[in-house]
Amino acid sequence: MNRMQDRVAFLVGGGAGIAKVCATMFAREGAHVYVSDINLAAAEETVKQIRAAGGSASAHRTDVTNLDELRDLFDIVRREKGVLHVLWNHAGVPGAGTPQHLMLEYFSRLRTMRKMCSLQTMHLPASSENCGLISNP
């Protein structure tokens, strides 16, 4: 099934974890996927796997707490595709350990990053009439 044939998906945090799995799934269903991650090598690895499976994707290094970087990437999407059907916002802050062992600083960074990411990634495409699903899982 190609349920997302000719659709455009933008995945924040697509270099790893759930967003990487979703990027692969969207591409397998026919979407062109913009894989955004602060770790460009991880985003490129996701894209490499998508292309090896016959999908269409591009990798982009983006710090989601930086509005200018997000704006630049959304401009690329608009220029290249003219439309955005899916925005999947699932960036995170890497950390290891159980919650009781993680430092307060980690939770503070995570909370700040998630708030900024959610607000900024929803604001930019929502200012366009060419946007569909916005997800902040």
Side-chain angles (χ1 to χ4, degrees), residues 90-103:
H90 209 279
V93 176
T98 59
Q100 63 267 30
H101 294 105
L102 292 175
M103 297 171 32

Side-chain angles (χ1 to χ4, degrees), residues 81-115:
K81 300 296 182 182
V83 65
L84 177 62
H85 299 98
V86 175
L87 168 60
W88 188 271
N89 177 6
H90 209 279
V93 176
T98 59
Q100 63 267 30
H101 294 105
L102 292 175
M103 297 171 32
L104 185 57
E105 179 183 329
Y106 167 79
F107 284 109
S108 178
R109 278 182 41 223
L110 177 62
R111 187 182 70 233
T112 300
M113 188 278 310
R114 290 294 291 168
K115 284 181 182 177

Side-chain angles (χ1 to χ4, degrees), residues 55-124:
S56 173
S58 57
H60 303 271
R61 192 242 175 244
T62 310
D63 177 351
V64 296
T65 64
N66 184 320
L67 185 58
D68 290 332
E69 286 187 24
L70 281 170
R71 187 176 289 121
D72 291 346
L73 187 47
F74 277 105
D75 287 345
I76 290 170
V77 173
R78 283 189 195 107
R79 251 191 336 269
E80 291 180 358
K81 300 296 182 182
V83 65
L84 177 62
H85 299 98
V86 175
L87 168 60
W88 188 271
N89 177 6
H90 209 279
V93 176
T98 59
Q100 63 267 30
H101 294 105
L102 292 175
M103 297 171 32
L104 185 57
E105 179 183 329
Y106 167 79
F107 284 109
S108 178
R109 278 182 41 223
L110 177 62
R111 187 182 70 233
T112 300
M113 188 278 310
R114 290 294 291 168
K115 284 181 182 177
M116 293 302 294
C117 181
S118 295
L119 291 171
Q120 292 182 163
T121 58
M122 287 189 300
H123 166 75
L124 289 169

Side-chain angles (χ1 to χ4, degrees), residues 14-34:
I18 294 169
K20 179 177 183 170
V21 172
C22 292
T24 303
M25 179 188 69
F26 291 153
R28 185 174 51 241
E29 290 291 334
H32 174 80
V33 180
Y34 287 85

